[in-house]
Amino acid sequence: MKIMESQNFPDAISFPEQVRRGELLNVDCPSREVLKRITSRWGVLVLIALSNETLRFSALRRKIGGVSEKMLAQTLQNLEEDGFVDRIAYPVVPPHVEYKLTPLGKEVQEQVEGLALWLEENFHRIMAKRQQQAAS
């Protein structure tokens, strides 16, 4: 996805081309909704939690500390709607549902994982800056 400057290009590219390419800095870009879903706190954590395994809802909730059932269900529904997560329902009683990343989900998970790794490696620098700001 190419990030374009936030300005109108009257004779540049058509709306379908903008949708295909994505122009995140443009206020009307529909890819912003997908960005919001991917980069939400719970979206990032679901993508990371499902990176190498298929999990049932309860196991996923346990793996992601602090997420409510409602938020996890909503996040999974959004990620499934966007094609990042597969919901596999087995016809058994009681119901058995599993979640796994799709190939598209694996691609975005790898990108998000880079950000998460950077954050974990640099968290101490961020906290030091916060303490420095609080002291001044």
Side-chain angles (χ1 to χ4, degrees):
M1 182 174 307
K2 185 173 182 181
I3 299 174
M4 302 292 291
E5 288 186 37
S6 181
Q7 50 185 298
N8 293 327
F9 298 100
D11 44 290
I13 57 177
S14 67
F15 182 72
E17 178 66 12
Q18 289 176 4
V19 171
R20 187 186 68 73
R21 286 186 17 198
E23 295 185 8
L24 289 174
L25 297 180
N26 183 327
V27 68
D28 297 321
C29 185
S31 61
R32 284 186 178 193
E33 182 65 25
V34 178
L35 178 68
K36 182 172 87 173
R37 290 176 173 190
I38 293 168
T39 60
S40 71
R41 170 182 23 176
W42 305 121
V44 167
L45 295 176
V46 165
L47 291 168
I48 290 170
L50 291 175
S51 64
N52 294 314
E53 57 188 330
T54 299
L55 294 171
R56 293 180 71 171
F57 185 90
S58 56
L60 186 56
R61 186 163 179 236
R62 279 191 302 274
K63 191 167 184 175
I64 303 171
V67 65
S68 69
E69 282 188 32
K70 179 182 176 183
M71 283 308 304
L72 181 56
Q74 185 177 45
T75 301
L76 286 166
Q77 184 177 24
N78 289 339
L79 293 174
E80 181 183 8
E81 186 178 287
D82 290 338
F84 300 124
V85 170
D86 270 338
R87 180 182 185 274
I88 306 149
Y90 297 95
V92 295
V93 177
H96 181 101
V97 178
E98 295 179 339
Y99 298 90
K100 70 175 187 172
L101 294 180
T102 64
L104 186 63
K106 264 310 244 184
E107 288 180 37
V108 75
Q109 178 274 327
E110 290 170 0
Q111 300 301 312
V112 168
E113 185 177 44
L115 176 61
L117 289 172
W118 180 90
L119 177 60
E120 287 186 343
E121 291 172 1
N122 292 281
F123 185 70
H124 68 282
R125 294 169 54 200
I126 297 164
M127 295 311 294
K129 185 65 175 175
R130 282 186 184 181
Q131 289 176 346
Q132 183 183 40
Q133 290 292 332
S136 50

